[in-house]
Amino acid sequence: MQLYNTLSAEERAELIDQAGKQRLTLSFYAYAKIEDPKKFRDDLFIAWNQLDALGRTYVAKEGINAQMSIPAENMEAFRKTLEAYDFMKNIRLNVAVEHDDHSFLKLTVKVRDKIVADGLNDETFDVTNIGVHLKAKEFNQILEDPNTIVVDFRNHYESEIGHFKGAITPDVETFRESLPIINEQLKDFKDDKNLVMYCTGGIRCEKASAYFKHQGFKNVFQLEGGIINYAKQIKEENIESKFIGKNFVFDHRLGERITNDIVSQCHQCGKPCDNHTNCENDGCHLLFIQCDECKAAMENCCSTECLNTIHLPLVEQVKLRRGIQVGNKVFRKGKSDKLLFKHSGELSDKSLAVAENREQKPKDIRQKIKIKKVLLGKAEHYYVKAQVGLFIIQNNELNVGDKLLISGPTTGTEEYILGKMLVNGKEISTANPGDKVTFEVPFRVRLSDKLYKIIS
C-alpha cells in the first residue's frame, strides 16, 4: 500500500510528457468535522494515486483544502472519490482558466492543525455564520455601489500582479496578519458599509466572513469560488472583468492571466512585468518578479551576491547555507532591499503595459528534463576521508565509462563520469541490480541521494 511519492518531479514530468494526455488544474475546499484526519489522508492518497492525481492537499479536523492536477479522462472518477464522503457531495471544483500539464508534479496530502493558518480560535465564534456568496455578475454590481468597501484577503506578492479595481490590498505576508489590520482599519464602518471580500479560491474568505460578522460587521459579502471561479464566469458569460492583471496561483505556473493588463514591474529593472520566479540560489530561493532580460543577465538570481554564489563549487554553496533555514522561515516572499521596484500596500489600478498574446514559454521544469536519464539506485553510505560512495543498484545496468548524475535535496545535482568501481568488493566493469557498488566521488553524497545514468 503506497502512501508516499516514489518519483522525483523531473521523473514525473517525463512520464506526463510521454503519456501526452491533457491534465486539468483545479482547487477545492470544504469545512467539515473529520474525526480521524490521518485515516482520511491515507484513504485519499491511495484513491488519488491510482488515478494519477497530483497536487498539494491539507486535511485537518476542520476539513480539506486542495490544489490538484488531474488527467482529464479521470475527472469523473476523481469526483467520485470526493463524493464518497457526505460533506463533499456536489462540491464545487474551481477549474483553472489556463492549464499546464506540469502545474503539479507530486501528490502531497498532509495532516495539519488547520486547513488555512488563520490564527483564530474557532471556539469563540460561529464559523458557519458566513457572509453572502456572490457570483461574478453580482460581485460586479455591488462593486459599483459607493457604499461598498472591497478587501483583498491575499498576501502582498499575490495582489501586486493583479487585484480588483479599488480594492484595499493589505501589505501582509500571511492571511492571519490581515485579519486584525482590516478589523482596525474598518472599525468605523461596521454598520453602514458593505464589506466585500475576495481571495484566490474562496477558502480564506469563508472563515474571514464569519470572523468579521462576529466582530460586528452587518453587511458581509464574499466572492463565491474566489478569483478562479470569477475568471471562469466572466469568460462563460462574456461580462466585464473588474479584476485587472494576473491571479497568483500556488503551483509551478505561479500565475494565470485574467486580463492582458500588466500592473507590476520587474523588481530589478522596473520594466512592466508580472512573471514571478524563485532565486536560483538554493540558499535564498526568494520569490520575486523578473523579466526575461534580467532573468538572462542575472541567471535567475535576485542579486549579484546570489549570482556569485551559484558559480561557486557545490561544496562551497552547501557550506554557505549550512545551519540556516531557507524559504519562508528566513526570507520574506518578495521583500528584499535588493529589489528596487517592489510595490505593496496601496496599489495602482493603472495598466503599465499589455501582455503579448503568445504561447507560454517552457517552464524551468521542462528545461531540466532535457537531460534524459534512468534511475540506477540510491546512496547507502559515504566514506568522508576516502571520498568514496557506496550505492545499491536497484534498476538497469551500470558500466565503467557511464556518465552519472547524483541528485539529492542537499547535494543538489552533480554529474560524474565513472572511471572505475568495486562491485561487491571486486574491481569489475559492470554492475547489475542487487549489486553493492563503491567508487570515488569528489563531493559528499547522502542517504537521500539517487544515482542516475545519463543516456542523452
Side-chain angles (χ1 to χ4, degrees):
M1 184 170 62
Q2 184 183 331
L3 294 172
Y4 56 89
N5 286 281
T6 58
L7 297 175
S8 68
E10 290 84 359
E11 290 170 322
R12 178 70 71 177
E14 286 188 56
L15 291 178
I16 289 173
D17 285 346
Q18 290 168 9
K21 296 179 180 179
Q22 182 192 7
R23 300 183 69 91
L24 303 176
T25 301
L26 56 91
S27 63
F28 62 92
Y29 68 89
Y31 281 99
K33 289 186 178 180
I34 299 174
E35 296 297 328
D36 190 347
K38 175 63 168 60
K39 183 180 184 304
F40 180 58
R41 177 264 172 210
D42 291 349
D43 291 345
L44 287 179
F45 192 100
I46 292 168
W48 291 352
N49 194 50
Q50 293 172 351
L51 298 175
D52 193 24
L54 304 172
R56 181 177 59 245
T57 299
Y58 299 136
V59 299
K61 289 189 174 181
E62 68 171 358
I64 182 171
N65 178 20
Q67 296 88 41
M68 308 288 294
S69 168
I70 314 292
E73 64 183 17
N74 292 344
M75 189 63 174
E76 286 308 308
F78 177 76
R79 182 179 281 279
K80 286 180 181 178
T81 68
L82 304 180
E83 296 189 343
Y85 301 90
D86 288 341
F87 73 89
M88 287 196 286
K89 288 189 183 299
N90 300 316
I91 190 171
R92 182 185 62 246
L93 302 180
N94 287 329
V95 180
V97 176
E98 298 175 355
H99 294 289
D100 184 332
D101 291 344
H102 292 187
S103 59
F104 289 101
L105 294 169
K106 288 189 176 182
L107 175 58
T108 303
V109 186
K110 294 184 178 180
V111 176
R112 291 285 179 87
D113 291 334
K114 287 196 169 190
I115 54 177
V116 175
D118 51 38
L120 298 175
N121 181 356
D122 295 354
E123 303 300 322
T124 61
F125 65 101
D126 183 359
V127 296
T128 66
N129 184 23
I130 60 176
V132 177
H133 282 222
L134 299 175
K135 296 187 183 299
K137 190 173 183 179
E138 298 167 326
F139 193 82
N140 280 3
Q141 289 172 346
I142 201 168
L143 293 187
E144 297 294 335
D145 187 339
N147 218 35
T148 291
I149 298 175
V150 59
V151 182
D152 190 326
F153 274 91
R154 301 172 302 153
N155 305 323
H156 65 83
Y157 55 89
E158 299 173 80
S159 58
E160 184 176 12
I161 62 170
H163 48 269
F164 278 97
K165 297 175 182 178
I168 296 173
T169 52
D171 187 11
V172 296
E173 285 186 49
T174 63
F175 174 50
R176 72 173 65 191
E177 285 180 66
S178 65
L179 296 173
I181 291 174
I182 294 299
N183 192 37
E184 175 63 25
Q185 192 171 344
L186 303 182
K187 63 182 180 181
D188 295 329
F189 304 103
K190 293 183 177 182
D191 293 321
D192 56 349
K193 294 288 186 181
N194 299 319
L195 175 57
V196 180
M197 55 187 69
Y198 69 90
C199 56
T200 307
I203 187 170
R204 283 177 271 192
C205 294
E206 199 78 7
K207 184 70 71 72
S209 66
Y211 168 76
F212 282 101
K213 289 185 74 173
H214 175 70
Q215 292 296 318
F217 287 85
K218 305 299 183 186
N219 308 304
V220 181
F221 304 85
Q222 63 191 91
L223 179 59
E224 183 180 80
I227 302 165
I228 297 174
N229 199 40
Y230 178 87
K232 182 181 178 183
Q233 289 180 12
I234 62 171
K235 187 176 181 180
E236 291 175 347
E237 300 174 27
N238 193 30
I239 58 179
E240 178 191 1
S241 175
K242 298 288 188 180
F243 186 94
I244 181 171
K246 246 185 184 180
N247 180 28
F248 186 96
V249 292
F250 295 88
D251 56 57
H252 284 292
R253 296 172 299 155
L254 293 179
E256 62 176 15
R257 186 159 297 289
I258 308 302
T259 72
N260 287 329
D261 302 282
I262 297 176
V263 297
S264 53
Q265 297 172 276
C266 170
H267 286 166
Q268 292 175 318
C269 73
K271 175 183 176 180
C273 178
D274 53 13
N275 296 324
H276 275 101
T277 189
N278 284 107
C279 181
E280 189 70 18
N281 176 15
D282 286 335
C284 174
H285 209 56
L286 181 74
L287 180 72
F288 68 108
I289 297 173
Q290 188 178 49
C291 68
D292 291 343
E293 289 79 5
C294 288
K295 182 183 285 286
M298 296 297 292
E299 298 181 40
N300 218 95
C301 291
C302 70
S303 64
T304 52
E305 290 84 353
C306 285
L307 179 59
N308 292 334
T309 297
I310 67 169
H311 288 290
L312 294 173
L314 182 62
V315 173
E316 294 300 316
Q317 292 186 47
V318 173
K319 282 183 181 178
L320 287 175
R321 63 177 184 261
R322 186 171 294 156
I324 69 168
Q325 292 175 308
V326 297
N328 295 352
K329 297 177 182 176
V330 172
F331 296 95
R332 288 171 168 262
K333 285 184 174 176
K335 293 287 187 73
S336 167
D337 57 8
K338 303 290 191 286
L339 304 178
L340 302 179
F341 296 93
K342 163 69 184 171
H343 299 288
S344 58
E346 291 187 16
L347 299 174
S348 171
D349 295 334
K350 181 181 178 182
S351 176
L352 303 178
V354 177
E356 297 178 23
N357 289 320
R358 60 181 180 180
E359 292 186 5
Q360 287 189 326
K361 293 189 173 183
K363 300 293 182 182
D364 291 343
I365 191 70
R366 291 197 179 99
Q367 295 166 4
K368 291 178 184 177
I369 64 173
K370 287 178 180 176
I371 300 176
K372 297 296 182 182
K373 59 187 185 296
V374 294
L375 179 66
L376 292 173
K378 63 178 183 177
E380 286 290 308
H381 192 68
Y382 183 69
Y383 302 93
V384 179
K385 290 185 178 180
Q387 289 191 311
V388 169
L390 169 62
F391 299 86
I392 300 294
I393 304 302
Q394 299 171 320
N395 309 288
N396 301 294
E397 184 181 88
L398 171 64
N399 295 286
V400 169
D402 283 344
K403 189 174 183 180
L404 305 178
L405 187 146
I406 299 173
S407 177
T410 303
T411 305
T413 300
E414 287 285 333
E415 294 183 11
Y416 177 70
I417 296 177
L418 183 60
K420 66 177 182 178
M421 63 179 169
L422 295 180
V423 180
N424 301 323
K426 297 180 181 180
E427 185 176 341
I428 56 178
S429 60
T430 299
N432 295 294
D435 289 339
K436 289 187 176 182
V437 176
T438 54
F439 53 86
E440 288 188 9
V441 185
F443 48 88
R444 182 164 184 166
V445 298
R446 294 157 180 84
L447 291 180
S448 58
D449 291 354
K450 292 183 178 179
L451 178 67
Y452 300 89
K453 176 163 60 177
I454 296 175
I455 57 177
S456 66

